[in-house]
Amino acid sequence: MAHTNASPRTNGKAEGGEFDAIVVGAGLSGVYLLHRLRELGLSVRVLEAGTDVGGTWYWNCYPGARCDTESMFYAYSWPTELRQKWTWTSRYPDQGEIQGYISHVTDEFDLRKDIQFETRVAGATFDEAANRWAITTEQGETFSARFCVMATGCITKPNLPDWPGVESFAGDTYHTARWPKDDVDFTGKRVAVIGTGSTGIQAIPIIAKHAEQLTVFQRTPNYAIPAWNGPLDPEYEREIKDNYDKYWDMARWSSTGLMYEIRDRSIFDDTDDVREREFEDRWQQGGFSFLFAYKDILTDRNANELVAEFVRNKIRGRVDDPEIAELLCPNTHPFASKRLCVDTNYYETYNRDNVALVNVRGTPIEEMTSTGLRTSEESYEFDAIVFATGFDSMTGALFNIDISGRSGEKLKEKWADGPRTYLGLGTAGFPNLFTITGPGSPSVISNMMTSIEQHVDWVSDCIEHLVREGMQTIEPRVDAEDDWVEHVNEVANTTLFPEADSWYTGANVPGKPRIFTPYVGGVGTYRKKCDEVAANGYEGFVLA
Ligand code: N01
């Protein structure tokens, strides 16, 4: 793994200080934001809990971690020389390679000196008299800044089941989003993996190769399309690099932030034969290309079912034991209404002698014991348990910080019934607080790279505008925020996304309000709206 040595904290002791801007998080967003804000001549400090840059990619270094967006689409567009120089090794980059890329950019632009590692932000309070944010850390520092940008990521806070007996288990436990940096050796061990989302589906085939016995606990089977990963085709790479601006522009104005578009064709316009050939073609292309085959896959239940059954039949063809195959066939939610998974040998892994599948949908895991796990039906013994149980996404990282706005209003209280933002960029009553890829923006439903760049550019331009115009604060108007929240819900309700109990809706975390938070109106449409808002003097915001 290409893992750059971390810079130490800036001075090793609690210090804090005054800055124009504090950025929380040194992932892909925080790194680019630092570059942009420094270019504006602002003093900036990035506060990062980890020991290195990378954010989501820093923490999620579990076996098999790999991006499900193709490498040529998963890079910044801004260092023009670098995008020509940088060469990805495979069609889908693995965690180590992405981590290496982010580190490289950080070093190339000498950004590390303004990033303070091993610093976890605990609170952010707006001081109305001074129009400044006071940002406190778990290490005891206090920073003061005019602007506070939460580049805290969408899938940051691990979701851990609250079963009794967690402490009593004598073996090793791991959450995939907190994987140790040192190698974990499962050789000769009886290992359990809980969870079959994108993470579990990537980790299970790798762990199966090393463990003596692997038992997978599945609550909901998922749809996975093969990645057909392999070395990056040099001709394809050349084509993209020679026409980078053209492709990147396509991505910016597309519906998903990728460099191709959903076909403007209904699934019902084709005969069964033609449709089957189209599905087969997409299957052979692999990955998300499947989603682009017909425009009604995610809006029409009957259209969706045709794809779903095609994928189920593929699963049946990949798994030897028909009973196991049926257990792996998703039937509780529409195709791709949970994040579509991209796999390498996932289903074939269940053909191995050392792999077992336990369906816990009707018979949930009830407790951890000193030797393993107990479901409502049976007890199991393990040497190690891996939690691939996902995240308290979208709001989890923000709620980990005690954020108070005007009149001491707490963000957590304001959002108790679900997040409320204007464009996913900010929330009324919290001046000069920006969120990158926040709830109500395309974020996780799009290519994150495209959406991150768009948000960072918008926020940087906005800050530049405020400074140039001598404005002290900006915050959304309540009516603009209300309208946006309503619009986000309206658009979501024209799709099948809200039907699934997914992390997109918060349904994966007990007690969380069930609301589909990403904006699915399209990356290009959203960009146009943000551009218009800025061009119209930040319409919908109050500038003071
Ligand atoms: O998390 P998930 P993830 N008992 O929430 C199960 C991105 N990502 O880490 O479906 C039993 O999808 C849960 O079951 P259920 C990507 O956006 C990207 O896998 O709730 N099981 C589910 O099976 C992705 O969508 C990449 O019934 C329990 C699993 O745990 C997002 O991260 C790679 C349980 C969690 O699945 C999150 O993926 C990896 C319980 N009590 C991830 N609690 C790439 O770019 C939870 N589960 C490749």
Side-chain angles (χ1 to χ4, degrees), residues 52-272:
D52 201 353
V53 293
T56 302
W57 292 108
Y58 166 88
W59 296 103
N60 285 267
C61 54
Y62 58 84
R66 191 177 282 281
C67 188
D68 52 12
T69 300
E70 293 185 31
S71 50
M72 291 310 293
F73 306 166
Y74 202 80
Y76 296 118
S77 69
W78 55 278
T80 10
E81 315 78 47
L82 183 66
R83 70 193 194 193
Q84 292 300 332
K85 251 188 346 196
W86 187 267
T87 298
W88 297 101
T89 58
S90 50
R91 181 178 173 191
Y92 296 96
D94 71 14
Q95 178 270 338
E97 201 170 9
I98 302 172
Q99 177 71 34
Y101 171 77
I102 305 170
S103 281
H104 181 84
V105 174
T106 305
D107 293 332
E108 190 92 347
F109 289 84
D110 195 21
L111 298 171
R112 217 167 271 274
K113 64 178 185 217
D114 291 320
I115 306 175
Q116 183 168 315
F117 295 100
E118 297 177 71
T119 304
R120 189 173 282 284
V121 171
T125 304
F126 186 66
D127 175 347
E128 287 189 74
N131 278 335
R132 290 182 76 84
W133 283 91
I135 293 115
T136 53
T137 72
E138 285 184 4
Q139 287 66 33
E141 294 140 300
T142 300
F143 295 85
S144 164
R146 196 167 150 204
F147 302 103
C148 180
V149 191
M150 295 295 175
T152 40
C154 297
I155 47 168
T156 306
K157 183 182 175 188
N159 174 41
L160 262 181
D162 60 350
W163 298 316
V166 173
E167 280 78 32
S168 65
F169 180 58
D172 299 319
T173 57
Y174 305 91
H175 191 290
T176 46
R178 290 291 177 272
W179 203 262
K181 296 291 173 202
D182 305 327
D183 277 348
V184 175
D185 186 7
F186 288 129
T187 312
K189 297 205 168 143
R190 297 161 304 167
V191 181
V193 172
I194 300 155
T196 52
S198 298
T199 302
I201 280 176
Q202 288 185 330
I204 286 162
I206 311 293
I207 295 175
K209 283 190 198 158
H210 301 284
E212 184 180 303
Q213 173 67 36
L214 170 64
T215 307
V216 177
F217 290 84
Q218 171 190 270
R219 190 165 66 182
T220 311
N222 239 315
Y223 299 89
I225 306 289
W228 308 122
N229 191 31
L232 191 63
D233 174 4
E235 256 181 59
Y236 173 65
E237 183 185 3
R238 195 66 268 147
E239 162 65 20
I240 303 277
K241 284 187 170 176
D242 285 350
N243 299 287
Y244 204 91
D245 287 333
K246 179 186 93 181
Y247 285 115
W248 206 255
D249 213 44
M250 276 166 64
R252 288 191 180 112
W253 294 102
S254 70
S255 50
T256 59
L258 290 165
M259 297 177 199
Y260 31 73
E261 201 41 280
I262 299 169
R263 276 203 316 164
D264 187 20
R265 188 169 181 80
S266 163
I267 218 164
F268 304 110
D269 291 341
D270 282 340
T271 60
D272 290 354

Side-chain angles (χ1 to χ4, degrees), residues 250-536:
M250 276 166 64
R252 288 191 180 112
W253 294 102
S254 70
S255 50
T256 59
L258 290 165
M259 297 177 199
Y260 31 73
E261 201 41 280
I262 299 169
R263 276 203 316 164
D264 187 20
R265 188 169 181 80
S266 163
I267 218 164
F268 304 110
D269 291 341
D270 282 340
T271 60
D272 290 354
D273 284 356
V274 173
R275 188 186 302 136
E276 202 68 10
R277 269 203 307 278
E278 182 68 33
F279 289 164
E280 189 56 43
D281 267 8
R282 300 282 170 165
W283 184 267
Q284 295 309 332
Q285 285 172 43
F288 291 150
S289 71
F290 222 92
L291 281 173
F292 297 83
Y294 295 103
K295 64 179 177 188
D296 38 10
I297 290 178
L298 271 160
T299 52
D300 183 304
R301 217 17 166 124
N302 294 328
N304 189 281
E305 183 51 28
L306 291 170
V307 190
E309 192 52 19
F310 176 88
V311 176
R312 286 185 208 115
N313 281 332
K314 286 291 187 187
I315 297 171
R316 291 173 186 126
R318 292 171 72 181
V319 179
D320 296 343
D321 181 329
E323 274 182 38
I324 302 283
E326 269 333 293
L327 277 182
L328 289 165
C329 283
N331 51 24
T332 56
H333 59 283
F335 172 78
S337 57
K338 286 184 174 216
R339 168 78 166 216
L340 186 60
C341 301
V342 178
D343 86 283
T344 298
N345 294 329
Y346 173 63
Y347 295 109
E348 289 77 4
T349 299
Y350 293 95
N351 299 334
R352 296 175 65 105
D353 292 338
N354 68 332
V355 176
L357 178 67
V358 178
N359 172 20
V360 290
R361 190 153 193 91
T363 52
I365 299 168
E366 291 191 333
E367 66 167 342
M368 281 175 75
T369 62
S370 59
T371 52
L373 290 169
R374 192 181 60 72
T375 68
S376 59
E377 217 172 36
E378 208 172 326
S379 291
Y380 299 85
E381 294 196 351
F382 299 109
D383 302 306
I385 297 178
V386 174
F387 290 90
T389 45
F391 301 88
D392 177 354
S393 60
M394 311 307 285
T395 51
L398 292 169
F399 288 171
N400 263 355
I401 302 170
D402 184 14
I403 302 175
S404 306
R406 284 196 194 284
S407 313
E409 184 183 22
K410 302 273 184 198
L411 185 73
K412 216 173 170 170
E413 283 163 19
K414 177 177 172 184
W415 288 8
D417 296 327
R420 304 195 68 77
T421 72
Y422 181 39
L423 300 168
L425 285 160
T427 188
F430 295 76
N432 293 0
L433 180 80
F434 298 98
T435 45
I436 302 298
T437 62
S441 73
S443 65
V444 293
I445 223 76
S446 69
N447 177 8
M448 284 300 277
M449 288 304 304
T450 318
S451 289
I452 284 171
E453 280 200 353
Q454 186 262 337
H455 261 199
V456 169
D457 287 337
W458 194 96
V459 168
S460 307
D461 292 348
C462 174
I463 289 178
E464 186 181 19
H465 174 84
L466 295 174
V467 172
R468 195 177 51 234
E469 299 297 318
M471 296 287 179
Q472 286 299 306
T473 57
I474 185 168
E475 66 188 290
R477 279 200 336 247
V478 176
D479 61 330
E481 182 171 295
D482 289 347
D483 288 350
W484 184 251
V485 172
E486 201 184 325
H487 176 60
V488 170
N489 290 333
E490 255 171 32
V491 181
N493 288 333
T494 63
T495 72
L496 302 174
F497 282 114
E499 289 189 23
D501 289 337
S502 65
W503 60 266
Y504 291 152
T505 63
N508 63 326
V509 175
K512 203 169 166 174
R514 188 193 172 105
I515 292 179
F516 184 83
T517 44
Y519 177 61
V520 284
V523 164
T525 314
Y526 173 81
R527 171 183 291 273
K528 186 164 174 273
K529 167 79 180 165
C530 291
D531 288 354
E532 281 168 6
V533 163
N536 294 334

Side-chain angles (χ1 to χ4, degrees), residues 18-62:
E18 295 212 351
F19 294 88
D20 293 322
I22 289 288
V23 173
V24 186
L28 284 159
S29 311
V31 164
Y32 181 39
L33 202 49
L34 172 57
H35 171 67
R36 283 290 325 259
L37 296 181
R38 254 181 23 183
E39 271 190 335
L40 296 178
L42 302 185
S43 60
V44 189
R45 174 67 57 91
V46 179
L47 304 177
E48 165 57 52
T51 59
D52 201 353
V53 293
T56 302
W57 292 108
Y58 166 88
W59 296 103
N60 285 267
C61 54
Y62 58 84

